Amino acid sequence: MNTGTPVPDSYYERIDEHRYKPTAHAGGAWDPDELHFSPLGGLVVHAIERQVAAQRPGEGLVMARVSYDILGRLALDECEIRVDVVRAGRTIELVEAVVLVADRPVVRARAWFLAAVDTSAVAGGTGELLTPPEELTPWEMSALWPGGYIASLDVRPLAPPRPGRTTAWVSTRHALVAGEPSSPLASYLALVDTANGIAVRQPPTAWIYPNVDLTVHLHRQPEGDWTGLDTTVAFGPTGQGLTSTVLHDVHGPVGHALQILTVRPAPPVERAQAPQPATGSASQAVSGSRGRSGLDRLKSAARASTSGSSATDAAKPRNRVEQYSPTGTPRPSCRPAAPTGRCGCAG
């Protein structure tokens, strides 16, 4: 409901030292009451960096790995982030953060900090540059998918995405937290979880494939306003999938991201009701088979069917973005109505 209150140009607002309130820009496409995980991932790093800087100023450590385990549904509600040092050290340090919503842990993250040393004389083996985003055509992702997070993005594919394979730049004009600066790393990581949605292998009306984690390894600290995602999605034969991404900034590769997926058919009731894509543009196919009401039905059916569960090649760069095929339509990063009975985001 539109209350007439202006929405801040940020994904979160600070409540106090450890609590944050999401804005409409953090909302996902599957459920208006849930978060997209991507900005929350950046917020966790923001909170970790603030506490590390306050406790150990000028130490010269840089974050080289961060891993997130998504433990439960991410309600579009205020959250608390608690940060603790697991293993202190002058050259190597391990930090843990736990995100709580309504006093319940929903995300657990761990970050390794390593000493910053000048190794420029031996640097190499990282890969080639992507086509600069300024030379590419923006794709209005919000024309195909609703949700505050998707609407906030500037997405620029290097070539028309194919099922399981996409390379794209992602950026946003929104701050991570209203009224306070965030580091280039936190801002960069706030967009990485989009990877699981830009190269979908199957329509989510027929299959569901939420990622239950995200792990990022970095050999260089990212710079600039763009997050480059060179993404491949694979489905195995026994219900597991893997989204693998080479991460870039405008200067080249910076690391890798991995997301494990739980893959299974969508509930039969929804599959039977979902219209089949017909000839025509991808936009027409998506609006016919995966509209707002269809997504809500899928979510409800998946939860109903699993109530009581305890478990929580490279495309040649082109400057013109063509219509996506109905079977290869990219989808925002999301944890749809997972058969485990939990949903990690609404994207």
Side-chain angles (χ1 to χ4, degrees), residues 148-337:
Y149 173 70
I150 298 306
S152 75
L153 299 179
D154 183 352
V155 183
R156 304 191 183 191
L158 273 67
R162 304 193 306 272
R165 190 73 179 93
T166 300
T167 304
W169 292 102
V170 182
S171 186
T172 180
R173 66 180 180 85
H174 296 304
L176 187 54
V177 181
E180 59 186 75
S182 57
S183 72
L185 177 61
S187 298
Y188 183 94
L189 292 176
L191 301 171
V192 168
D193 191 65
T194 314
N196 188 40
I198 64 171
V200 300
R201 298 194 62 85
Q202 294 292 330
T205 48
W207 292 85
I208 52 180
Y209 33 86
N211 58 297
V212 299
D213 77 340
L214 169 63
T215 300
V216 175
H217 290 86
L218 299 168
H219 61 261
R220 177 170 66 81
Q221 295 296 289
E223 302 175 17
D225 298 328
W226 291 91
T227 297
L229 306 172
D230 185 4
T231 298
T232 301
V233 179
F235 288 173
T238 58
Q240 296 79 50
L242 182 66
T243 296
S244 307
T245 301
V246 179
L247 298 171
H248 290 252
D249 66 9
V250 294
H251 303 297
V254 299
H256 291 77
L258 291 173
Q259 297 159 287
I260 195 67
L261 317 178
T262 174
V263 183
R264 60 193 70 187
V269 60
E270 178 63 24
R271 296 171 65 190
Q273 293 175 354
Q276 295 301 311
T279 58
S281 71
S283 177
Q284 293 170 330
V286 170
S287 63
S289 65
R290 296 193 289 278
R292 177 72 260 173
S293 60
L295 295 177
D296 287 339
R297 288 197 305 272
L298 172 60
K299 196 173 192 65
S300 298
R303 283 177 172 162
S305 68
T306 59
S307 60
S309 175
S310 61
T312 75
D313 182 281
K316 182 180 179 182
R318 299 171 62 181
N319 292 343
R320 178 175 178 272
V321 179
E322 300 175 356
Q323 289 284 355
Y324 299 176
S325 68
T327 58
T329 304
R331 179 165 191 79
S333 173
C334 63
R335 270 146 295 278

